[in-house]
Each structure stands twice: as C-alpha cells, then as structure tokens.
C-alpha cells in the first residue's frame, strides 16, 4: 500500500479503464508505426499490451490512417486484448472524425491539441466539431497542450498583457502560465459545449524536468480534472529514463498524476515496449503499484569478479517478466514478490533474508556454496553447475505454494 496521498480528481472511463479518482495510476504508451499499415500497428499494440500498457495511443493523421482504425481495433480484439486504443489528432482531426465514422466509434478516446486545431474563427469551430463527435459517440477526450505547439494567439496576447504590466514577469513564467491557461480554457470550452468533466483528461507537456514540475503543480491547482503526466520528448536511453524518472517521481510523490507515459526515443530497431517497462518501474519503485516481482542484486565489486551473479540476476529478472502474463491470473499478489540475487557473503545473506526468497552466491575465491533463504530462513545450500536451474525450481515451488494459498 502506497503512502502517497493522491490529489482528488474526477474519474474518467476510457474504454473500461478507470483514470483518476481513487483508481490506480494508469500506464500508457504510443505506437510509432504508420497507422495506415493496419497489421504492423495492431501487432505493435499487442506487444505493448503484453508488456503491460493499459492504454495505447495511435497517430491518426491522414485519411488512409483513419480508414484503418476500425480494422486495427478489430485485429487487437481478435488477438484477445481489450486494451483501449486512443486516437492522436492534429490539424485535421475535425475532418477525419467527421468523415470516418467507424474510426470515431472504434477509438476509446480522442487526443486533441488546442494549439493545432486551427487559427482565428476556425480554432473554435474545429475544436467544437471534435467535441461534438466525442459527445455523439460518448467518448472522452484528452486535451493535450504541448509547449512545442502552443496556441500562438493566446501566448501573444498573454505576452502583450504582461509587457504592459507594472511588474512584468519573466517570459518563461508567462509561457508556462499560457500552457496551463490553454489547457484549462479549452476544458472549460468543452464543458460549455456539453462534454462533462468526467470525459476530460488534461495534459501540459514540456521537455525539461524542472519545467514539467512547475507546469503540473500549477495545472493541478486550477481544477480537479484527471491529469496525464509525461515529458514531451524525454530523449534516448539513459537520458530519457533518468529525466522521466526525475520529473514524474517528484509529481507522483506529491499526489499529482492519474496516468503516465514515458516518451523514450527508441534506438534504431529498438524495442518500443521499453517505455512501458520504465513507466511500470517508476510506479513500482515509488510503491504506488506492483507489476512484476522485483529482483535485488548487488552492483558487484572486487570480491565478485565472476559474472555468475550478474548473469543469474538478469536471467531471473527476464524469467519473472516472462512468467507474469501467466502468473498474474494464476497467483494473485505475486507481483509483490521480492527476490534477491547477491554476489558474495558481505551483504548477500542479509539481503537474501530481507527478500521473500534470495540466494547469496560465492564471491571470487570464496567457498563455492550458495545458501538460499526463504522468508528469512536458510533452507538449503546449492553447489556446482546447476545452481541457476535449481534456484529457479525453488522459486517456482515458492510461488505456487505461497500465492496459491491466497486464492
């Protein structure tokens, strides 16, 4: 049970997934396939769903893409996945949602960027049309402001007003104010048009960690709308993971946020599901949710020049993640399991005792014996070339006994 007290927000039903209120924080992701390629897009949605993405967003930017949405959703459902699929619209969303009614019906939610719906009179007209379609189809919307595509008319007006003020604010502060104002005013406009608040999720994306924290703290104060968190461009690899973790963790610890996405730039040919795993790990590290058993492993030192414990920790982690789709339904509560794979006798026995099940492998030059601890008690000592499969067998027996008893 998390010690974090969540900010109170309205609950939004997105295709059967409850976002906001007292519901668990939802992990979501987005495809990077050409949506007009229905097979590739459906397959990536399935991969993301298998990894644990609870919502998946797809780009709907052309008539060809819109025409394939219903087929994509059907393929995903035929594969046995009920994951809600969200449509991401920019510039021509009012046209696509109006002309492709199967697309509008098939999607679980529409993402609208108020900075990209048109200028002048067209802004409100196009925005209104998208809201009308949402109401007609009983769909929620995410009003997603992005500082890279902020409503320039609004920003210019606020900058002009600021310049005439007796005590002008820094341009950065005005920009952040404009981001939040765009989100709130757009939400209020949607409500005036007839879309209820429990059909609205807000986001205000920026790419800097400190900027993200400032913007969302302000946005959270302005209303009880459900909030989607994430850096708009987190970056690649370590940079993207660290930046996302730093920004989201601060906000989540303050109770801000109802659904999150870690927007990692994948390496060429990289696995898109990485962003789902990182998002899950952020929530699990904060003890907000549990998704998969956690493996504690020491970093290694001069006492552990053998790579056995590293290989074993990696193998066990991958094994647990592979088993979770089966275990999740078979063994309720197994996601809370804690496993320790330690490299030597210094901290190994102690860490192993703190885990549900742990093993302390021999360090360099130490006696080739690996004590195994179950619920804090030494139960056996493994030796020889079969340490890894024997430990996995003990792990499987433990899971079957402990979590079957909870049924």
């Amino acid at each position: 049970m998390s010690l974090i007290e969540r900010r109170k927000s309205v609950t939004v039903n997105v295709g059967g997934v409850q976002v906001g209120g007292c519901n668990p924080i939802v992990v979501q992701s987005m495809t990077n396939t050409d949506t007009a390629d229905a097979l590739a897009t459906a397959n990536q949605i399935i991969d993301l769903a298998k990894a644990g993405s609870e919502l998946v967003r797809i780009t709907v930017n052309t008539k060809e893409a819109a025409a394939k949405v219903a087929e994509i959703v059907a393929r995903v459902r035929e594969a046995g996945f009920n994951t809600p699929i969200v449509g991401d619209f920019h510039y021509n969303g009012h046209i696509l949602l109006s002309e492709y009614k199967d697309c509008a019906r098939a999607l679980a939610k529409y993402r609208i960027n108020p900075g990209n719906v048109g200028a002048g009179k067209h802004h409100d007209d196009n925005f209104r049309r998208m809201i009308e379609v949402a109401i007609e189809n009983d769909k929620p919307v995410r009003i997603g402001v992005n500082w890279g595509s902020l409503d320039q008319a609004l920003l210019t007006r606020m900058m002009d007003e600021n310049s005439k003020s007796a005590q002008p604010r820094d341009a950065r502060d005005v920009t952040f104010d404009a981001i939040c104002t765009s989100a709130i005013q757009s939400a209020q406009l949607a409500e005036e048009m007839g879309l209820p608040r429990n059909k609205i999720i807000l986001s205000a994306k920026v790419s800097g960690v400190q900027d993200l924290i400032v913007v969302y703290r302000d946005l959270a104060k302005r209303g009880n709308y459900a909030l989607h968190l994430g850096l708009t461009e987190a970056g690649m690899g370590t940079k993207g993971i660290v930046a996302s973790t730093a920004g989201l963790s601060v906000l989540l610890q303050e109770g801000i946020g109802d659904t999150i996405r870690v927007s990692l730039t994948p390496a060429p040919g990289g696995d898109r599901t990485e962003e789902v795993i990182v998002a899950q790990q952020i929530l699990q590290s904060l003890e907000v949710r549990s998704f998969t058993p956690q493996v504690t492993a020491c970093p290694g030192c001069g006492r552990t020049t053998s790579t056995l414990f590293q290989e074993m920790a990696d193998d066990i982690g991958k094994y647990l993640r592979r088993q979770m789709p089966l275990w999740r339904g078979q063994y309720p509560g197994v996601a809370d399991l804690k496993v320790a794979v330690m490299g030597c006798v210094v901290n190994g026995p102690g860490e192993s005792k703190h885990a549900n099940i742990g093993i302390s492998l021999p360090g360099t030059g130490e006696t080739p014996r690996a004590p195994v601890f179950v619920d804090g008690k030494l139960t056996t000592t493994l030796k020889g070339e079969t340490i890894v499969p024997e430990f996995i067998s003990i792990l499987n027996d433990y899971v079957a006994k402990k979590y079957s008893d909870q049924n």
Side-chain angles (χ1 to χ4, degrees):
M1 179 66 70
S2 172
L3 298 177
I4 297 173
E5 183 177 349
R6 294 272 300 283
R7 159 189 169 271
K8 298 296 185 291
S9 68
V10 297
T11 298
V12 181
N13 183 338
V14 183
V17 173
Q18 306 299 319
V19 177
C22 297
N23 297 289
I25 295 170
V26 173
V27 171
Q28 62 176 278
S29 56
M30 185 175 185
T31 60
N32 60 357
T33 55
D34 179 357
T35 307
D37 185 339
L39 179 59
T41 302
N43 285 341
Q44 190 172 83
I45 292 170
I46 291 167
D47 288 341
L48 291 166
K50 286 179 178 178
S53 185
E54 294 159 307
L55 300 175
V56 178
R57 183 159 44 109
I58 63 175
T59 296
V60 188
N61 59 334
T62 64
K63 292 184 176 182
E64 292 76 13
K68 292 292 185 177
V69 168
E71 178 186 342
I72 291 166
V73 175
R75 286 178 177 273
V76 173
R77 300 294 176 258
E78 288 168 4
F81 293 89
N82 293 319
T83 308
I85 298 170
V86 179
D88 193 66
F89 295 95
H90 298 272
Y91 307 110
N92 59 354
H94 58 292
I95 297 172
L96 298 178
L97 284 171
S98 297
E99 293 185 359
Y100 293 87
K101 299 187 185 303
D102 286 348
C103 168
R105 284 191 292 265
L107 293 168
K109 184 180 72 172
Y110 314 147
R111 185 278 174 105
I112 304 173
N113 183 339
N116 287 340
V117 296
K121 179 180 181 297
H122 295 298
H123 178 281
D124 286 0
D125 289 344
N126 295 347
F127 183 80
R128 178 183 295 277
R129 182 58 196 141
M130 297 180 77
I131 297 301
E132 287 173 348
V133 175
I135 294 170
E136 290 166 7
N137 290 280
D138 194 28
K139 305 292 184 180
V141 302
R142 170 159 72 94
I143 296 173
V145 179
N146 190 306
W147 78 333
S149 51
L150 182 58
D151 183 337
Q152 292 302 298
L154 173 65
L155 179 60
T156 299
R157 185 175 73 249
M158 293 182 67
M159 285 290 187
D160 288 343
E161 291 172 354
N162 180 66
S163 67
K164 297 173 183 177
S165 171
Q167 295 181 316
R169 295 179 293 163
D170 184 84
R172 174 177 177 271
D173 294 335
V174 177
T175 299
F176 292 162
D177 187 5
I179 292 171
C180 292
T181 298
S182 177
I184 294 296
Q185 287 185 351
S186 297
Q188 291 171 342
L189 181 58
E191 289 188 76
E192 291 171 7
M193 293 173 178
L195 189 69
R197 185 166 294 200
N198 66 356
K199 294 287 186 182
I200 299 172
I201 297 174
L202 298 185
S203 68
K205 297 286 194 75
V206 293
S207 56
V209 171
Q210 294 293 349
D211 298 343
L212 183 82
I213 294 168
V214 170
V215 167
Y216 271 94
R217 281 174 175 167
D218 185 19
L219 189 60
K221 293 175 182 176
R222 298 199 190 192
N224 67 338
Y225 297 97
L227 299 181
H228 165 79
L229 299 187
L231 289 169
T232 186
E233 295 102 7
M236 295 185 69
T238 303
K239 186 268 180 186
I241 293 171
V242 172
S244 293
T245 302
L248 297 185
S249 294
V250 171
L251 293 168
L252 292 169
Q253 188 68 27
E254 295 178 2
I256 298 171
D258 302 293
T259 175
I260 67 171
R261 181 192 174 203
V262 175
S263 301
L264 295 180
T265 304
D271 190 346
R272 189 66 165 181
T273 64
E274 181 185 15
E275 66 176 43
V276 178
I277 296 169
V278 172
Q280 290 178 332
Q281 193 60 55
I282 290 172
L283 294 176
Q284 190 145 353
S285 296
L286 290 172
E287 300 182 4
V288 172
R289 290 187 66 184
S290 294
F291 296 94
T292 191
Q294 298 291 280
V295 178
T296 299
C298 67
C301 66
R303 298 177 64 93
T304 57
T305 54
S306 167
T307 61
L308 177 59
F309 86 95
Q310 298 166 328
E311 294 163 359
M312 187 171 182
D314 185 53
D315 288 345
I316 292 295
K318 291 177 179 176
Y319 176 76
L320 291 170
R321 187 165 287 279
R322 287 197 306 270
Q323 290 298 107
M324 276 309 294
L326 173 65
W327 282 358
R328 189 175 290 113
Q330 190 174 2
Y331 302 122
V334 71
D336 294 320
L337 175 70
K338 291 180 173 57
V339 180
V341 180
M342 304 301 293
C344 75
V345 298
V346 174
N347 292 317
E351 288 284 358
S352 296
K353 289 177 183 178
H354 290 309
N356 295 107
I357 179 169
I359 184 170
S360 178
L361 298 169
T364 305
E366 295 170 0
T367 303
R369 296 161 58 86
V372 175
F373 296 84
V374 176
D375 290 332
K377 296 179 181 179
L378 176 63
T379 60
T380 188
T381 299
L382 304 180
K383 307 173 187 177
E385 301 296 323
T386 59
I387 286 177
V388 175
E390 286 182 31
F391 182 73
I392 289 179
S393 179
I394 294 169
L395 174 62
N396 286 333
D397 290 343
Y398 179 85
V399 168
K401 182 177 186 302
K402 180 178 177 64
Y403 295 99
S404 289
D405 290 344
Q406 296 185 9
N407 290 338

